Amino acid sequence: MKTNLTLTILLASSLVFAADPAPPATETCVADKLISAEKFDRPESFTDKKKPGTDGWRGGIGTWSIKDGAAYEIQEAPSKNRPNGHEAVCEHIVDLGDYVLTAEFKLGPSPQIGFVCRDTNQPNLHQGRVMITPTAIWIQKMSGIAKETRREELKRIEVKLDPDTWHRITIEICGDHFQAKIDDHVLEASHERFKERKGRIGFVAKNEGAQFRNVALWSAKPKS
C-alpha cells in the first residue's frame, strides 16, 4: 500500500511538472523562474473584476470572459470621464526586472492589440509596448499615466497578419533591450526606460473580439 501511495504521489508530481510550459528559445536573455502559465480555457481564469484569477491574471478595464477556450475582450464603452472609451486591459501584478513572455493571440475584428508593461511607481506608469495590427508591428517607449501618458515609437515593421489566424509572440526584455518575435517577424529596440523594474505586465486590445491564450511569463537574466 505504501509503495502504491508513493507511486501515485510521484505520478501526480510528474503530471504537474509536465503541465508547465518549457521556456522558449531566446536570443538576448534566459528565462529563469516561471511566474505564471495561464491557458485561459476555463471560467476561473477570470474572477470578479480587478481581482486575480486562478493564475494571477486580472481583467482590469473593459470586459473579459472565456470564449472558445481563450480570453475574449470587449473594450470599455465611452463615458463622461472617458469620452472615447478605453482599450480592454488584462494584467498580472509583478515585481520583475528582466522578463520573457510567450502567448498566442488572434486579432479577430479588433484593429489593434498590444503587449505591455508598466513600472513600479504608485500609480504604475506606462513603460513600453509592442503594438500589433494586421499590417504593422511596432515597439514604443512610454511614460506617464492617464492624460499624462506619452509615447515614442522606436521601431516599426510592415507585416501581413491574418486577423482570423492564431499567431505566437515571444517577448524578451533584458536591460535596455526590447525584442519581440511574432511568428517569423522579429523587431527590437533599446531605451533606458526598459531597464526600470516592472510592476504590471499584460496585454490590451481595442474594440471587441481579440483573443489570447497560453500566456506564460518568466523572470529572466542576461545571457552570459
Side-chain angles (χ1 to χ4, degrees):
M1 180 65 72
K2 185 176 180 180
T3 300
N4 290 339
L5 179 59
T6 301
L7 288 173
T8 300
I9 293 172
L10 289 173
L11 178 60
S13 299
S14 66
L15 289 173
V16 170
F17 180 79
D20 288 343
T26 52
E27 294 185 17
T28 63
C29 56
V30 178
D32 188 16
K33 178 183 177 183
L34 180 65
I35 306 299
S36 172
E38 176 59 81
K39 293 182 178 180
F40 287 110
D41 61 349
R42 50 192 171 155
E44 306 86 66
S45 298
F46 294 113
T47 56
D48 295 335
K49 191 169 184 177
K50 297 185 179 180
K51 292 184 179 179
T54 49
D55 208 27
W57 291 91
R58 61 186 74 197
I61 299 173
T63 302
W64 290 88
S65 61
I66 304 301
K67 182 177 180 180
D68 299 329
Y72 181 92
E73 61 79 29
I74 303 174
Q75 81 162 44
E76 181 184 83
S79 63
K80 182 178 179 180
N81 292 332
R82 291 172 172 156
N84 297 320
H86 195 288
E87 62 192 357
V89 180
C90 180
E91 57 192 3
H92 203 298
I93 308 300
V94 297
D95 183 7
L96 289 176
D98 300 335
Y99 74 87
V100 170
L101 181 143
T102 61
E104 294 177 290
F105 67 88
K106 184 193 292 186
L107 285 159
S110 173
Q112 179 177 291
I113 69 166
F115 290 84
V116 310
C117 59
R118 289 161 63 182
D119 63 24
T120 55
N121 283 292
Q122 295 299 326
N124 307 99
L125 305 179
H126 293 293
Q127 195 168 9
R129 296 186 175 194
V130 54
M131 306 301 298
I132 303 166
T133 74
T135 59
I137 305 168
W138 64 94
I139 293 173
Q140 61 191 35
K141 163 260 180 183
M142 301 182 71
S143 61
I145 194 72
K147 293 181 179 180
E148 301 301 317
T149 299
R150 299 291 181 269
R151 57 185 60 85
E152 176 187 352
E153 186 176 306
L154 302 177
K155 178 68 176 180
R156 173 186 286 257
I157 60 173
E158 305 303 315
V159 298
K160 288 185 178 181
L161 293 181
D162 182 353
D164 296 318
T165 295
W166 283 101
H167 304 278
R168 182 168 178 82
I169 184 170
T170 300
I171 293 172
E172 303 175 44
I173 296 186
C174 197
D176 68 351
H177 190 260
F178 190 136
Q179 177 176 299
K181 181 178 181 181
I182 296 90
D183 297 336
D184 293 326
H185 307 289
V186 179
L187 69 165
E188 48 195 325
S190 295
H191 197 282
E192 288 292 309
R193 181 79 171 124
F194 301 144
K195 288 183 177 180
E196 298 179 31
R197 292 192 71 79
K198 290 79 185 170
R200 293 174 185 250
I201 293 171
F203 42 90
V204 300
K206 285 189 173 182
N207 295 356
E208 176 181 352
Q211 291 182 273
F212 304 83
R213 68 186 185 189
N214 297 328
V215 181
L217 173 66
W218 291 264
S219 62
K221 52 190 178 182
K223 282 192 172 182
S224 55

